[in-house]
Amino acid sequence: SVAAYCTSAVMLAVATFGFGTRSLDCHRENQPILQRLANIEQSLPLGSFACVDSSWVYYAERNIQRLNTAVEPESPRPESPRPATASARLTESTPTPEQFVEAHPNAMIITTDLALPQLQERLPGDYRVIEQASRFLSHQKLVLLSRDPFEHVAESVDHNLR
């Protein structure tokens, strides 16, 4: 009967989305990073390099700026005009890690262990890993980087003494 079919469909939806999500939630191992971000001052900017998950905005209780993973060319070369595509607009409007930390000296950046070597080559030497956690349903690890506050203070004191 149609009523039994509809009732079964509703019960399946409730079971899947009501109880299924709660049981999956306990398998999220990225909580240490997200909890740390939720407890850090909201004015500190957060960037995401080569990884992003829309739920992080909710759990970290802050905006996350996606960073451009493309390496900027050494010298601009003339190119023929092309129509702007969505990916081209994203690339043009998304800051590189270098631009992001220049604009926000105290910024934190979240990335994966696979993208970490590429990112570290592009950041100032005083950026350090401050937290790591497994990425949900992946073999990768999430890595949170921040400036070493002691090195940053020592650098500014040394600069002021000159």
Side-chain angles (χ1 to χ4, degrees):
S1 91
V2 174
Y5 179 75
C6 290
T7 303
S8 297
V10 169
M11 295 300 287
L12 178 63
V14 168
T16 302
F17 297 110
F19 301 111
T21 55
R22 288 189 62 112
S23 63
L24 274 178
D25 193 50
C26 68
H27 295 287
R28 284 188 313 111
E29 297 174 353
N30 57 5
Q31 279 303 102
I33 287 179
L34 298 174
Q35 191 62 45
R36 185 168 188 159
L37 290 172
N39 293 330
I40 291 176
E41 184 180 331
Q42 291 293 319
S43 65
L44 290 176
L46 175 63
S48 172
F49 182 79
C51 67
V52 70
D53 187 342
S54 57
S55 68
W56 296 348
V57 174
Y58 174 78
Y59 290 110
E61 299 176 11
R62 64 178 59 237
N63 292 330
I64 300 174
Q65 171 69 55
R66 185 172 17 182
L67 303 180
N68 190 336
T69 58
V71 178
E72 291 184 37
E74 292 295 323
S75 59
R77 57 179 183 210
E79 293 185 17
S80 60
R82 293 181 288 184
T85 62
S87 62
R89 286 191 300 272
L90 177 64
T91 302
E92 291 171 3
S93 66
T94 308
T96 63
E98 297 89 344
Q99 294 166 336
F100 187 66
V101 298
E102 185 176 323
H104 309 286
N106 295 323
M108 298 176 295
I109 300 176
I110 190 168
T111 190
T112 64
D113 56 342
L114 297 178
L116 181 61
Q118 179 190 3
L119 179 60
Q120 285 179 318
E121 290 175 2
R122 301 174 68 177
L123 292 178
D126 59 345
Y127 267 82
R128 303 281 185 261
V129 173
I130 60 169
E131 191 79 52
Q132 291 187 37
S134 294
R135 190 168 185 184
F136 184 56
L137 298 177
S138 172
H139 295 292
Q140 296 179 358
K141 288 201 176 291
L142 290 176
V143 181
L144 181 63
L145 293 107
S146 180
R147 275 208 146 119
D148 183 339
F150 300 110
E151 227 172 284
H152 191 62
V153 169
E155 186 178 291
S156 65
V157 168
D158 183 46
H159 180 71
N160 289 337
L161 291 176
R162 291 182 191 174

